[in-house]
Amino acid sequence: MSRPLNILILGGGIAGLALAAALRQRSEHRVVVLERGSLPGVPAALIASGLQRGHSDVPDAQDYGIAIAPNGTRMLHILGVANPVAALGGKPLQEISTRSAENEESENSSYPLDPSAPAFFCRRSAMVRTLAQAAASPMLPGAAVQIHINVPVAELDVQTARYGEHCGDLIVLADGLSKAGRAAVVDAHGLPAELRDANTAQLAYMGLVPARALAPFSHLHDDGVPRGCLANWTWDPPHAAEEEADEAAEMARRGRAQQRLILYPLGDDALQLFAYQPATAALLERFPRGGAHGSRAGFIRDVDAKEATEVFAAFAPEVQELLRSCPTLDLAQIRDAPCLDNWAAGRAVLVGDAAHATLPHTGQGSAQALEDAEALSYLLAPLRAEPSSASTEAAAVASLDEALAAFVAVRTPRAHMVQRTARMLNGCLAPGEAQYMRDWDEVSYMMSMLTYAGVEQQLAAQQ
Ligand SMILES: Cc1cc2nc3c(=O)[nH]c(=O)nc-3n(C[C@H](O)[C@H](O)[C@H](O)COP(=O)(O)OP(=O)(O)OC[C@H]3O[C@@H](n4cnc5c(N)ncnc54)[C@H](O)[C@@H]3O)c2cc1C
């Protein structure tokens, strides 16, 4: 008799947990999430077992805020989160204020607010908690997903969907920038080793600003309550006029050289501050080695605010004061993975940052992870395995291959578009990607993000 698939998900971040929740809702597959770190804020009752203490790329102590674009909100609806802004305690985005380093406003634009799918800001931990709840709560319909935390790092075999002692019909590699999943897929296809790695394009000092620090910025609060405004301040370092070869070259130069501070409210008493600056060899050297494959850690915690204000000395004193107001500051590597054309190998498939880590400037990292989860769950839902006979087992594997191929075909063009757009805005398109910039159309890009309504509709539109 046929049976639902056993699906392992490696990584309990947004991509892994969203997929777990979506599979629970849409299928009878038996799903196990293996997370090497902890899941701060997720109730212990939702965790199936805790093994020895692991480590995570994401700092536990300091949560960070993420912007969810309208397509991400729509995916949350489809995954069963009825009112995402309320469920995640978020704050809708209503306007964008653009200022110079001297704190002079150059533009204030309202953001198109679609009440059915607003863009909003929330804490990453709120997203993880909500998705873990949807996946593992015993109170909801469908078979609860098992979430294991602190799972020791083990050997991964993509051909047999095996991770250490765990084995499934399929292993979904949602391990973010840890590199294990991506390296396994790249190696399985015999692709160049440089496709395994994400590049560090920029660094960001990041911290949580208390709402009371908004006092000097009357445009950002109403009587002390943060407004739904994304504020950004930009400094362009002086440069020689002859560097302005043409418009495209000038845009690339500015994107590479700029320092930017971004601030947005998280729906509670805090705002997320990111202070971006180009990666320098000296700053990169400070990230300790010791991660998987000898890679450097993605974060340095508890950086001195004095250091950050010295780096951002070109900004007005009240803007620098935002950096000082954060109880703690971390320094993060902002990474961008090369576009990978095939995310599937054997019985494994990449999702989320492991497949398409993107620079955060388009606010699409989480939304793309949610789109992956929605699309993959839709394509996997009808599959069955028939383990009793070798021939029917082969048939189940064949349909799995088709589902993974369909997933890769439908998802890679969108994910690559997002990656390249973010690269373009940061002046770091690869040499072979120059045509992308010439062809890019802001209106059609925005519309494709604002109106995306799930993979079923996308597949229908392609026929
Ligand atoms: C500074 C910064 C700002 C950002 N801002 C935004 C924003 O405004 N909007 C937005 O949409 N996105 C933003 N992003 C991106 C967004 O956070 C990511 O795109 C999103 O979290 C991707 O989720 P993921 O699940 O793929 O990866 P992750 O969140 O990295 O999760 C991967 C998980 O896998 C686990 N793991 C790793 N290796 C293993 C292993 N071997 N075994 C088991 N588990 C493993 C990790 O511990 C982690 O929990 C930002 C990212 C950064 C760094």
Side-chain angles (χ1 to χ4, degrees):
M1 222 173 80
S2 71
R3 60 162 174 81
L5 303 190
N6 293 320
I7 298 178
L8 294 178
I9 299 177
L10 196 64
I14 293 172
L17 291 172
L19 177 64
L23 284 168
R24 175 185 188 169
Q25 199 192 43
R26 288 178 154 171
S27 77
E28 294 177 348
H29 300 322
R30 291 185 283 260
V31 180
V32 174
V33 174
L34 304 172
E35 165 57 46
R36 72 174 177 180
S38 57
L39 294 176
V42 173
L46 296 182
I47 308 292
S49 72
L51 302 175
Q52 70 190 46
R53 183 79 183 93
H55 68 285
S56 168
D57 278 345
V58 177
D60 294 358
Q62 197 194 1
D63 196 7
Y64 67 91
I66 49 177
I68 309 298
N71 49 323
T73 310
R74 227 174 251 118
M75 294 308 98
L76 287 167
H77 281 301
I78 297 176
L79 303 188
V81 183
N83 182 346
V85 182
L88 279 72
K91 182 90 176 176
L93 165 63
Q94 288 169 309
E95 56 186 304
I96 299 176
S97 163
T98 306
R99 296 194 162 220
S100 66
E102 295 79 30
N103 197 23
E104 282 159 10
E105 188 161 81
S106 55
E107 196 181 338
N108 190 307
S109 52
S110 58
Y111 190 85
L113 186 64
D114 172 356
S116 69
F120 69 100
F121 307 108
C122 67
R123 289 175 184 257
R124 180 184 181 275
S125 60
M127 175 73 88
V128 165
R129 188 169 54 246
T130 302
L131 295 172
Q133 191 86 30
S137 167
M139 312 301 286
L140 296 171
V145 168
Q146 282 191 30
I147 301 175
H148 298 258
I149 61 168
N150 300 329
V151 173
V153 172
E155 199 167 328
L156 167 65
D157 183 347
V158 294
Q159 301 305 337
T160 56
R162 185 175 288 280
Y163 187 70
E165 68 195 42
H166 303 272
C167 190
D169 299 303
L170 168 70
I171 183 161
V172 179
L173 306 168
D175 58 333
L177 288 163
S178 88
K179 196 166 140 176
R182 190 175 169 100
V185 170
V186 166
D187 292 352
H189 290 294
L191 293 168
E194 55 265 27
L195 286 174
R196 292 164 150 207
D197 293 316
N199 308 308
T200 299
Q202 291 192 322
L203 300 174
Y205 292 89
M206 51 192 279
L208 296 178
V209 170
R212 64 176 182 281
L214 291 183
F217 305 97
S218 56
H219 64 297
L220 296 182
H221 68 95
D222 294 315
D223 296 328
V225 178
R227 298 174 63 173
C229 181
L230 181 147
N232 71 77
W233 294 265
T234 306
W235 179 66
D236 288 311
H239 66 285
E242 63 268 22
E243 287 176 35
E244 294 175 25
D246 60 37
E247 201 184 330
E250 168 58 6
M251 184 173 163
R253 184 204 60 74
R254 286 185 58 183
R256 279 194 300 272
Q258 267 176 356
Q259 288 187 330
R260 290 205 302 162
L261 265 78
I262 307 275
L263 183 71
Y264 48 76
L266 297 181
D268 48 25
D269 197 30
L271 297 95
Q272 177 66 53
L273 177 70
F274 289 112
Y276 292 103
Q277 85 122 34
T280 62
L283 278 172
L284 277 173
E285 278 294 311
R286 289 175 45 200
F287 288 81
R289 284 199 188 275
H293 308 270
S295 58
R296 290 188 188 276
F299 290 85
I300 302 174
R301 299 188 194 195
D302 289 331
V303 178
D304 191 347
K306 188 162 170 285
E307 167 192 321
T309 50
E310 281 168 11
V311 172
F312 289 86
F315 286 74
E318 66 272 24
V319 180
Q320 289 183 42
E321 197 53 39
L322 291 169
L323 287 160
R324 275 192 216 97
S325 73
C326 299
T328 59
L329 272 180
D330 292 336
L331 183 60
Q333 293 195 42
I334 304 300
R335 288 164 164 160
D336 167 43
C339 295
L340 191 61
D341 290 332
N342 193 350
W343 302 341
R347 293 195 189 190
V349 64
L350 297 163
V351 295
D353 275 10
H356 47 69
T358 179
L359 296 171
H361 301 73
T362 51
Q364 276 291 329
S366 310
Q368 291 305 305
L370 293 166
E371 285 191 15
D372 286 347
E374 193 275 330
L376 189 56
S377 62
Y378 175 85
L379 293 163
L380 291 177
L383 303 194
R384 307 278 301 176
E386 308 210 21
S388 54
S389 112
S391 59
T392 48
E393 174 76 5
V397 172
S399 60
L400 182 60
D401 287 346
E402 279 167 28
L404 297 185
F407 172 70
V408 171
V410 76
R411 288 292 305 135
T412 49
R414 273 182 75 76
H416 292 172
M417 174 174 73
V418 167
Q419 287 186 286
R420 291 189 173 120
T421 298
R423 256 176 235 154
M424 182 185 80
L425 297 175
N426 281 279
C428 47
L429 275 175
E433 294 175 323
Q435 187 61 37
Y436 182 79
M437 186 164 171
R438 285 190 278 275
D439 295 344
W440 192 73
D441 175 56
E442 184 175 2
V443 173
S444 52
Y445 174 81
M446 284 300 290
M447 288 310 288
S448 76
M449 295 302 141
L450 292 173
T451 59
Y452 183 78
V455 73
E456 187 173 5
Q457 206 179 87
Q458 195 190 359
L459 289 170
Q462 285 172 359
Q463 275 166 6

